Amino acid sequence: MFIYDSVKKQKLKLNPESDVVRIYLCGPTVYDDAHLGHAKSAISFDMLRRTLIALGYKVKFVRNYTDIDDKILKKMSETGKSMQDITSYYITSYENDMKALNVLEPDIKPKATEYVTHMIEYINNLIKNDYAYILDDGVYFDTSKDEKYLSISNKTDDEQTQARVENNQNKRDKKDFVLWKFDENFYEANFGKGRPGWHSECVVMIKNLLDNNTQYLTDIHAGGSDLLFPHHENEATQCRCSEKHELSKYWMHNGFIQINNEKMSKSLNNSFFVKDALKSHHAEVLRFYLLSVHYRANFNYSDDDLQASKKRLDKIYRLKKRVYGVKKGLVNQSFKDEILNALRDDLNTSKALACVDELVVKANDELDKNPKDKNIKGEIVANLEFLNEILGIAMLDSFEYFQFGISDDEKARIQAIINKRNEAKKQKDFALSDALRDELSQKGISLMDTPNGTMWEKL
């Protein structure tokens, strides 16, 4: 497996430090619903995990929640709700969205608030060794003590860099960043009551959850490209000074999301929530769409492109319909190898999906020529099941997929008509049976009588 290292800026062969690949993905700050950027990151590294497993690697996958942060405090002020109420609500919302997008559950999903005691201990160690110092508003990390500071993001020591860290005129250096913010409403600590700064959280959780006492605390540290600086830079410098070695062997970052060629941003009022996209499109369509562009590339979201992606996915499900109810055979090894070879090259999902397009065309041609061949059908079923395992697509019932957008009440009415039609057929009242089929057809509902019963879809 070859992956692109964001720090070294080249593809590298993956050589984990042990027989388990340790991956830490920076998760969301839970003060609002998940947006497309969250979805892109989660799906990108879900693909990394699925690929590694398919290639025979063991994986330990951690994705955290930042459940204490200035943005959460602002939400508390705006709503009058407690921090626990806000973070619990948005964690549930996030997990529902990820489940809909068929993102695998992490092995561990720690919350920052669960590790505050460890953070206090970590900060104390930095203070003791003169890597951190105390000011009137909190504890700061002294970046001048690390000669490798800015080596992760490859940034220069300029005003633009300084502008993205906390501003306190008494800091030893403008680049210094806060580890602990004094606040009488939060946690007791010997250096002052308060709460952790954002950059204190992940490095402590990585140390506690993934460290094997080897050269690196983890094998792969992943996240959105906006986290490279300052967040990942500031995690890495704390680790170098406290642990005397590097935080991660590899750094992986997914690209930005743009909305109609503009960077997704709340300030631009174009921060597109996952829940909004799912109102008009099935979650699997959104997953398929986000997979269609390489994870490192900036992704330009548009409704037209999403609709085009849906048409590609529709073809997979129409093929699945053609083998509905057929017993699974053996996966085509050549097809499987093509997919895995594409993905082992730094998750080339574009190439993998092109292989899927070819499979659909070839499979339909074979079915046209040999419509009753059970071996051909069984292989197609196996190939589609493999797509579910490796790409997280084609997982749905082929008829249910085409029922998207129809309410439960309307589904019940359709099923009642189908039941009435089935009874008419039993009574050999074919005139009524045909009339009921026509009634559904006029509503845009197509029926298909199968050995497993009458199935329907929305045309």
Side-chain angles (χ1 to χ4, degrees), residues 176-299:
D176 294 353
F177 56 90
V178 69
L179 299 173
W180 186 263
K181 299 181 179 183
F182 293 146
D183 189 327
E184 287 299 316
N185 297 313
F186 287 93
Y187 304 96
E188 294 285 354
N190 59 300
F191 40 76
K193 195 172 184 181
R195 53 192 171 86
W198 182 32
H199 311 308
S200 311
E201 299 172 3
C202 290
V203 63
V204 170
M205 288 188 276
I206 290 171
K207 177 176 172 57
N208 279 272
L209 296 171
L210 293 172
D211 186 17
N212 286 339
N213 295 315
T214 49
Q215 186 177 355
Y216 302 91
L217 263 64
T218 190
D219 293 300
I220 300 173
H221 197 339
S225 53
D226 57 321
L227 299 180
L228 189 54
F229 183 87
H231 189 47
H232 289 169
E233 187 71 69
N234 292 348
E235 289 178 47
T237 191
Q238 290 175 74
C239 181
R240 275 193 294 270
C241 293
S242 179
E243 311 300 321
K244 306 305 177 188
H245 54 79
E246 294 292 337
L247 177 60
S248 184
K249 188 170 185 179
Y250 307 96
W251 296 83
M252 296 180 72
H253 295 86
N254 63 276
F256 289 109
I257 293 278
Q258 297 175 308
I259 307 291
N260 295 322
N261 295 309
E262 285 187 308
K263 181 182 175 182
M264 192 178 73
S265 167
K266 287 200 169 185
S267 62
L268 296 174
N269 198 32
N270 67 353
S271 185
F272 198 2
F273 293 123
V274 171
K275 66 176 185 179
D276 294 329
L278 299 189
K279 289 176 184 176
S280 55
H281 292 90
H282 198 286
E284 192 169 317
V285 175
L286 182 59
R287 180 185 177 96
F288 189 91
Y289 179 39
L290 291 173
L291 286 175
S292 66
V293 174
H294 193 270
Y295 79 95
R296 282 192 285 115
N298 290 340
F299 190 99

